[in-house]
Amino acid sequence: MQKRPDPMDARLQAAFEAQDWPLLTRLCRQALRKNGRHHKAHRLLGFAMSQTGDTDLALQAYRQAAALWPQDAELLINHANVLLTQGRNLDALPLLERVVALRPDHSTCWAKLAQCCYTITLNQKGFDASQQALACAKSVGEQVDALTQSAVHRRELGQVREAVQDCERAIALAPQAAHSYTNALLFMLADPHSQASELQRLAQVFSNNFESPLLDQWPRFQDKDRNPWRRLRVGFISPDFRNHAVMYFAEGLLAGLDRQQFEVIAFYNYPVEDHVTTRVQCHADRFIKISGKTPEQQAQAIRDADIDIAIDLAGHTGGNSLLALARKPAPVQLSTIGYPGTTGLRAIDWWVSDAVTDPANAPQWYTERLYRLATRLSCYRPMIRNPLWRYQPAYQVRPTPALDNGYITFGSCNNLGKLTDEVLALWGRLLQAVPHSRLLIEGKNLDIEATERAYRQHCADLGIDPERLELVAMDSRNQYLTYHRIDIALDPFPLVGGTSTNDLLWMGVPVVTLNGDTLRNRMGVGILAHLGRHHWVARDQEEYLGIAAALASDASALNQLRQVLRQEVEASAVMREDVFVQEFGNALRSMWLHWLTKTEHTEWTLAQVDGEVQAMLAEAPPPPEHREFLVGVAPGERVPLSIAYQRLQKILDTAKSKHMPLAGSEGTSDLLANRHWAQATELAERILCAKPHDAMALTVLAEIENAHGHLDFGRVYLKEALQSLGEREPADVLLERTRQYVQEAQEYLGESPCPMGAASEVVRDDGPLNADTLVA
């Protein structure tokens, strides 16, 4: 007898096809009340809930369904996909391993497993899964997905050229898949075979494919308030308002930008939040989530917020909003920090630079116009993951390890994908030139025996003595601590270190870098120039060896250098946030005036516009009377610093009044038993995240640590508080010293000088590309 069709199945299917997720949720629950093992309802309930944003309930539904239907690959992969969107890759991994066992011939299953492996750094496993996905692929879409996963894992495994080739294959198969361009451009940065002209051309192809069809739809902004001096609404757009390298350079800007001149709105394009996200919510005047929205919806969110200046912090990196910005949702748009190169978009008006990091001929490689700050192009802040750790004894500068070891340890803590064969071969020559020296390389997956053994053999093939090689697995818990083991850091090339170079210098470790001709290989040049240490910049590989060997020749001098380097870094343009946010604000005002002038005088040349802007700036009204610095003490709540101090003192007084030593503890107490101590610590951290080295907050932290018997911590906090009370070099003096450093660096490198604090000349060809310029 033939089984009668279940009418509920048809109703469920109809709701699914109509994408009526609330109705589908109700129908699934109704079906499961009648039949707790209703297969289709179990399949669809978690999916429907995830579509309406009820993630926790969706995962609960999937767990119950998976317990009943453990062999249902479709249910399992959907369950895993929700976990992946929440960043719970470790939880998703066993589900996807079961999925590929159930469906070994399905490309999508293998591709999803490869995707899962990426963020948990199982790169060899992920690469192997991507190759299975590629072998099983039956459609262009499946091939592109497999190639994407192959590329991202190849890059982490150091196969940069092959990663670029995977991306080029994906672009050739599907020219309208935007993420393939982003991956290709990102990986080409580290590929020594990829020239600046190729990066520029591919960025232009990206623009032609995705931006050109939108040009006629750009808004005209006729209704914009054209007051040149009004308070501007600035939107920062990023997927990285979280524990991410971008925040080492963005947090100080978000917290410190002058709120008399600017309102700060943060647009967050990532599905998962963390404790760093919470800090951003405190720093921003408004925080808007745009993850999961289409590019048009993201652009509309920016337009709805009435943004005057949109600031892209991602460029061609994962999770970017370039397709939204290509719709020109704000009259002025610029890119900075996230990606060292052009976006290729005509909708992005400016790239923020400085007088060294982008050399005089750099404008030819940008679609955007360069604005060269009078300070460094970005400002570094350490310890973004745990801000108070920067004051802990474990992270204070220590003597150079050669004093105890009796030999010099060179080191690199960069992504292994940056360590090309040419780089490793040069480092092998350095070990031969410096007797008994060793080379420490930190990288992902080096705790996996097979990976460690293969990488050691690869280094040996390139001339590095395996007995003098120390391979250290990258572990976020050891960030900064590994630097205690390095005497001299070696910068790779052509894609040099960024955040890691700043980290190393702050920890007192000198860095040797090789000069380059574009931003991707000049980040180290720019840092050292603004630090006044341009003599650590090599003009060729032989000089690179000479500089490193000279530093290694005197361990005592190296140690003396190490003890003063942090102080130099913190006093320089590398870390002076107060100077940086002022100059960045000046740049934003200048960009606004450029837009006003260009739209009012459309017939003017660029030189005429620049001249008018300079005249307007010269006659700018005096700044408003000083108002107190505002501190973001909670999401959506900013208060004057004096009010934050009052709150802090009140909480501290309450904590001390309730401070009861534990019996037999000789004066120590239970921190958890008195929540007021924790509240005081949290508020002090919030103040320090808005205003680093604040003496009041540091003094309170010292008192808290001393009250709990942590005298070493207390001493460090008090020492920092006393140092912060000393006179800080005025901004104009720092800028003049920076100007001198920049001039010395340019003379040393034999390069043409670039103007500081001004817009650059722009070289742009908006004509159509010829077919032979397509990188793919």
Side-chain angles (χ1 to χ4, degrees):
M1 181 176 179
Q2 187 175 9
K3 184 178 178 180
R4 295 177 58 186
D6 185 347
M8 178 57 78
D9 281 359
R11 296 178 65 189
L12 292 171
Q13 187 64 32
F16 175 79
E17 291 176 355
Q19 298 185 18
D20 189 337
W21 309 123
L23 173 60
L24 182 57
T25 299
R26 291 196 299 273
L27 291 175
C28 287
R29 284 174 168 165
Q30 180 182 336
L32 291 173
R33 281 195 296 270
K34 293 182 179 180
N35 176 9
R37 293 182 61 87
H38 195 291
H39 191 187
K40 194 175 188 70
H42 272 302
R43 267 190 170 187
L44 295 178
L45 178 57
F47 185 84
M49 289 176 167
S50 68
Q51 296 302 303
T52 58
D54 297 325
T55 304
D56 291 340
L57 291 176
L59 290 174
Q60 180 181 342
Y62 273 127
R63 284 193 296 270
Q64 294 171 350
L68 292 172
W69 308 99
Q71 304 304 311
D72 187 336
E74 181 179 334
L75 188 155
L76 294 176
I77 198 169
N78 286 336
H79 182 187
N81 200 49
V82 175
L83 289 168
L84 291 177
T85 64
Q86 298 301 303
R88 296 174 57 179
N89 294 48
L90 283 172
D91 294 331
L93 181 62
L95 295 175
L96 291 168
E97 289 176 327
R98 198 185 315 165
V99 166
V100 296
L102 292 168
R103 298 286 188 272
D105 298 328
H106 282 58
S107 178
T108 299
C109 300
W110 286 106
K112 189 61 65 172
L113 175 60
Q115 177 192 344
C116 176
C117 289
Y118 180 73
T119 58
I120 51 180
T121 68
L122 296 177
N123 298 113
Q124 188 61 55
K125 183 181 183 73
F127 174 71
D128 293 341
S130 74
Q131 301 312 294
Q132 291 283 355
L134 194 57
C136 298
K138 296 181 176 62
S139 68
V140 167
E142 289 180 347
Q143 290 181 66
V144 170
D145 288 345
L147 287 166
T148 297
Q149 297 306 321
S150 175
V152 298
H153 287 291
R154 281 190 191 276
R155 188 242 191 174
E156 298 301 322
L157 293 169
Q159 303 170 20
V160 180
R161 176 93 286 260
E162 293 83 354
V164 172
Q165 291 169 344
D166 281 342
C167 294
E168 291 173 344
R169 287 177 61 192
I171 291 171
L173 286 167
Q176 295 305 311
H179 68 273
S180 296
Y181 295 84
T182 284
N183 286 339
L185 287 163
L186 187 61
F187 302 159
M188 287 167 72
L189 292 173
D191 178 18
H193 300 284
S194 297
Q195 303 300 313
S197 58
E198 294 177 280
L199 283 145
Q200 184 200 32
R201 288 170 184 167
L202 185 57
Q204 288 181 331
V205 175
F206 174 82
S207 171
N208 289 344
N209 283 352
F210 300 101
E211 182 185 40
S212 293
L214 304 170
L215 296 180
D216 292 339
Q217 304 170 29
W218 282 6
R220 302 296 181 183
F221 304 106
Q222 297 96 329
D223 298 331
K224 271 289 178 187
D225 181 348
R226 301 182 66 85
N227 182 344
W229 310 112
R230 67 174 173 87
R231 187 175 187 235
L232 300 175
R233 189 170 290 115
V234 179
F236 289 86
I237 302 137
S238 177
D240 302 324
F241 295 140
R242 53 192 170 97
N243 179 18
H244 189 279
V246 163
M247 289 306 299
Y248 289 79
F249 307 93
E251 183 166 11
L253 180 58
L254 293 166
L257 199 60
D258 183 3
R259 291 315 200 270
Q260 296 180 66
Q261 294 195 60
F262 307 104
E263 178 185 355
V264 172
I265 295 92
F267 294 89
Y268 186 41
N269 190 24
Y270 195 74
V272 182
E273 299 178 19
D274 59 18
H275 65 291
V276 180
T277 313
T278 302
R279 295 209 306 269
V280 175
Q281 292 170 336
C282 294
H283 298 320
D285 299 303
R286 292 173 60 195
F287 187 87
I288 300 174
K289 301 175 185 178
I290 58 173
S291 175
K293 297 181 182 295
T294 66
E296 175 54 44
Q297 290 170 333
Q298 292 180 353
Q300 188 61 51
I302 297 169
R303 287 193 291 266
D304 290 344
D306 196 22
I307 297 301
D308 299 307
I309 303 178
I311 303 175
D312 163 52
L313 297 178
H316 285 287
T317 62
N320 69 70
S321 297
L322 292 181
L323 295 183
L325 293 171
R327 290 163 165 79
K328 198 66 172 179
V332 179
Q333 300 191 157
L334 63 122
S335 187
T336 186
I337 296 177
Y339 170 80
T342 184
T343 64
L345 297 182
R346 283 165 281 182
I348 306 294
D349 304 287
W350 300 90
W351 167 261
V352 178
S353 189
D354 60 47
V356 175
T357 313
D358 274 302
N361 66 343
Q364 67 180 308
W365 308 124
Y366 287 89
T367 302
E368 307 83 356
R369 192 178 185 193
L370 299 188
Y371 188 100
R372 300 184 188 275
L373 298 178
T375 182
R376 188 173 165 240
L377 60 80
S378 61
C379 194
Y380 165 74
R381 177 187 288 195
M383 292 289 181
I384 219 70
R385 187 181 295 110
N386 298 291
L388 295 185
W389 286 16
R390 71 186 290 181
Y391 304 109
Q392 289 190 6
Y395 297 95
Q396 303 309 300
V397 174
R398 296 181 182 177
T400 200
L403 296 180
D404 287 334
N405 293 336
Y407 55 82
I408 291 292
T409 301
F410 298 105
S412 167
C413 298
N414 289 277
N415 187 299
L416 293 181
K418 297 181 180 182
L419 309 190
T420 64
D421 288 357
E422 186 178 9
V423 170
L424 293 172
L426 184 65
W427 292 353
R429 291 176 57 197
L430 178 60
L431 292 184
Q432 296 171 10
V434 181
H436 312 298
S437 60
R438 299 177 68 85
L439 175 62
L440 183 152
I441 295 177
E442 181 187 61
K444 296 178 182 177
N445 300 310
L446 292 179
D447 53 344
I448 300 174
E449 183 179 354
T451 303
E452 188 267 351
R453 184 170 58 252
Y455 197 80
R456 188 177 293 276
Q457 182 58 53
H458 181 67
C459 290
D461 293 341
L462 294 168
I464 297 176
D465 182 352
E467 298 300 319
R468 297 166 67 181
L469 184 63
E470 298 178 29
L471 298 182
V472 178
M474 184 173 289
D475 186 336
S476 61
R477 294 170 297 182
N478 290 331
Q479 187 183 11
Y480 297 96
L481 299 179
T482 301
Y483 305 152
H484 289 316
R485 301 170 56 181
I486 298 172
D487 294 289
I488 302 165
L490 304 175
D491 213 10
F493 51 87
L495 182 58
V496 300
T499 307
S500 60
T501 300
N502 289 272
D503 287 344
L504 284 155
L505 291 166
W506 183 72
M507 289 295 291
V509 184
V511 178
V512 181
T513 192
L514 183 64
N515 188 29
D517 56 359
T518 60
L519 178 59
R520 66 168 172 165
N521 45 32
R522 285 179 67 96
M523 289 183 286
V525 176
I527 296 168
L528 294 176
H530 286 90
L531 185 58
R533 295 285 183 177
H534 60 268
H535 48 280
W536 295 345
V537 177
R539 289 162 289 196
D540 55 41
Q541 292 191 13
E542 294 303 317
E543 192 170 47
Y544 187 105
L545 295 176
I547 293 170
L551 284 169
S553 65
D554 188 339
S556 177
L558 199 57
N559 185 60
Q560 292 175 13
L561 168 65
R562 197 180 189 98
Q563 302 310 309
V564 301
L565 192 52
R566 175 176 291 189
Q567 184 178 352
E568 286 185 15
V569 172
E570 293 191 343
S572 75
V574 175
M575 288 187 66
R576 278 289 297 271
E577 287 184 3
D578 58 327
V579 175
F580 175 76
V581 296
Q582 177 64 44
E583 293 302 316
F584 196 91
N586 292 342
L588 295 181
R589 183 62 62 182
S590 177
M591 294 172 190
W592 176 247
L593 296 180
H594 269 87
W595 180 76
L596 292 178
T597 306
K598 283 193 301 182
T599 53
E600 185 174 347
H601 301 283
T602 55
E603 75 285 2
W604 280 12
T605 66
L606 198 58
Q608 288 175 305
V609 172
D610 287 346
E612 177 65 13
V613 169
Q614 291 305 311
M616 294 173 71
L617 289 171
E619 297 178 0
E625 292 185 10
H626 174 72
R627 288 194 304 186
E628 198 168 359
F629 185 83
L630 298 179
V631 177
V633 295
E637 183 183 8
R638 294 175 65 83
V639 301
L641 185 59
S642 60
I643 301 300
Y645 286 162
Q646 292 174 17
R647 291 187 186 182
L648 184 58
Q649 189 62 56
K650 183 177 180 180
I651 297 172
L652 181 65
D653 291 342
T654 303
K656 289 192 290 186
S657 70
K658 298 180 179 296
H659 182 78
M660 298 297 292
L662 297 174
S665 62
E666 298 182 355
T668 61
S669 66
D670 185 358
L671 177 62
L672 297 178
N674 185 345
R675 71 180 189 281
H676 300 287
W677 290 118
Q679 291 173 348
T681 301
E682 180 180 356
L683 181 53
E685 180 178 321
R686 288 280 165 83
I687 293 172
L688 287 166
C689 286
K691 189 173 179 287
H693 303 304
D694 181 83
M696 174 67 172
L698 288 166
T699 302
V700 168
L701 289 172
E703 190 165 354
I704 293 171
E705 298 296 348
N706 290 337
H708 292 83
H710 306 151
L711 301 184
D712 287 347
F713 287 10
R715 279 193 292 270
V716 173
Y717 281 130
L718 190 57
K719 177 185 175 184
E720 293 286 345
L722 292 172
Q723 288 180 348
S724 72
L725 292 173
E727 289 190 10
R728 174 179 278 190
E729 187 175 54
D732 57 345
V733 175
L734 173 65
L735 290 175
E736 181 55 38
R737 180 160 55 85
T738 300
R739 189 179 299 276
Q740 178 184 345
Y741 285 163
V742 167
Q743 182 178 350
E744 291 173 353
Q746 290 170 337
E747 291 175 354
Y748 168 77
L749 296 172
E751 296 178 349
S752 301
C754 295
M756 300 175 66
S760 72
E761 292 298 322
V762 63
V763 179
R764 178 181 295 175
D765 177 10
D766 289 332
L769 292 175
N770 296 322
D772 60 1
T773 65
L774 295 176
V775 175

